[in-house]
């Protein structure tokens, strides 16, 4: 009815690809995301927000398939354009920083990943506030890179901060809170603080079991 190049058609193609991604059908999802990206570039131009979102979606599937070099190249390009089009402080730019840093970590480029995660975290604290889910995601991601670099004290501080906020905002039984308990306990174990690590692992396990029983 509308043709291949209509924005609503592209939106429908994008939604179909997202479901394929959720189902784990990565090859078909990637092919459809690539098609959407090519059309967005042609119809809307390189700098249009829908094109940039399409870059991110395509890069996400590439990362899931382990094609990290191409994923990183797309994320870098999208981030440069988000910075240019929307500025440093826009939530979409901050999300692109996070995505780029995540691929850098997967490639083992830890120094650059940490620098970008720190930048995203600082700006998310300032723009979105301490309690926003995106800020908490940045706390976790920054801490995970610090762990990988062996900087356990700072990693633990960030994990503790994120856990305290999640307990307050989401409650004890929320999956994100339980994940944060596990992350904090894992760093405590790595630091040799075994009693506190065990207590936190047991707390998380008990709450998970309780939810399962319900």
């Amino acid at each position: 009815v509308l043709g291949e190049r209509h924005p609503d058609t592209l939106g429908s193609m994008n939604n179909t690809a997202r479901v394929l991604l959720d189902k784990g059908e990565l090859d078909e999802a990637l092919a459809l995301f690539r098609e959407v990206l090519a059309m967005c570039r042609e119809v809307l131009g390189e700098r249009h927000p829908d094109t940039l979102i399409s870059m991110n979606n395509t890069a996400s599937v590439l990362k899931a398939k382990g094609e990290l070099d191409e994923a990183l190249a797309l994320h870098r390009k999208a981030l440069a354009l988000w910075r240019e089009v929307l500025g440093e402080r826009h939530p979409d730019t901050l999300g692109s920083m996070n995505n780029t840093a995540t691929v850098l970590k997967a490639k083992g480029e830890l120094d650059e990943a940490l620098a970008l995660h720190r930048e995203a975290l600082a700006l998310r604290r300032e723009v979105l506030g301490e309690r926003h889910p995106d800020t908490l995601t940045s706390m976790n991601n920054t801490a995970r890179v610090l762990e990988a670099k062996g900087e356990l004290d700072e990693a633990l501080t960030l994990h503790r901060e994120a856990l305290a906020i999640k307990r307050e905002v989401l409650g004890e039984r929320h999956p994100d809170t339980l994940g944060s308990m596990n992350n904090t306990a894992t760093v405590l174990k790595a630091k040799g603080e075994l009693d506190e690590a065990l207590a936190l692992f047991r707390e998380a396990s008990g709450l998970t079991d309780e939810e399962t029983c319900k």
Side-chain angles (χ1 to χ4, degrees):
V1 174
L2 300 176
E4 290 285 330
R5 298 155 58 93
H6 191 280
D8 289 349
T9 306
L10 296 176
S12 189
M13 291 169 69
N14 180 76
N15 292 341
T16 304
R18 290 183 68 86
V19 176
L20 288 164
L21 175 59
D22 290 342
K23 284 172 58 66
E25 300 179 20
L26 300 184
D27 290 337
E28 192 174 353
L30 180 58
L32 200 50
F33 275 135
R34 285 193 192 278
E35 186 178 358
V36 173
L37 177 55
M39 288 186 183
C40 283
R41 282 177 159 152
E42 182 182 343
V43 175
L44 303 173
E46 193 82 85
R47 297 160 55 90
H48 192 281
D50 288 352
T51 306
L52 298 179
I53 290 168
S54 190
M55 285 184 194
N56 176 75
N57 291 341
T58 306
S60 295
V61 186
L62 287 164
K63 179 177 183 287
K65 285 172 59 66
E67 299 179 22
L68 299 182
D69 289 338
E70 189 179 356
L72 181 58
L74 261 183
H75 276 311
R76 284 194 193 279
K77 181 162 189 134
L79 176 55
L81 289 167
W82 281 123
R83 289 185 195 269
E84 186 179 330
V85 173
L86 296 178
E88 292 285 328
R89 298 163 57 86
H90 192 280
D92 287 341
T93 306
L94 301 178
S96 187
M97 286 181 194
N98 178 78
N99 294 340
T100 305
T102 299
V103 179
L104 285 163
K105 179 179 182 290
K107 283 175 58 66
E109 300 179 20
L110 299 183
D111 290 339
E112 190 177 356
L114 181 58
L116 200 51
H117 274 313
R118 285 193 193 278
E119 182 181 4
L121 175 55
L123 287 167
R124 279 176 163 172
R125 286 186 196 270
E126 186 178 337
V127 173
L128 303 174
E130 292 284 335
R131 297 155 62 94
H132 192 280
D134 289 350
T135 307
L136 295 172
T137 295
S138 275
M139 286 183 193
N140 177 73
N141 290 345
T142 305
R144 295 298 294 270
V145 180
L146 288 163
E147 286 177 56
K149 285 174 60 66
E151 300 179 22
L152 299 182
D153 289 339
E154 189 178 356
L156 181 58
T157 297
L158 268 179
H159 278 313
R160 285 193 194 278
E161 183 180 2
L163 176 56
I165 294 170
K166 287 176 184 177
R167 287 186 194 272
E168 182 182 346
V169 174
L170 302 175
E172 294 285 335
R173 292 177 171 78
H174 192 281
D176 287 352
T177 307
L178 297 173
S180 197
M181 287 181 192
N182 183 76
N183 292 341
T184 306
T186 298
V187 180
L188 286 163
K189 178 176 179 289
K191 282 174 57 64
E193 300 179 21
L194 301 184
D195 289 341
E196 188 178 356
L198 181 59
L200 200 50
F201 276 132
R202 280 181 167 158
E203 181 182 3
S205 176
L207 290 168
T208 302
D209 289 344
E210 184 178 331
E211 286 297 294
T212 302
C213 289
K214 288 181 180 177

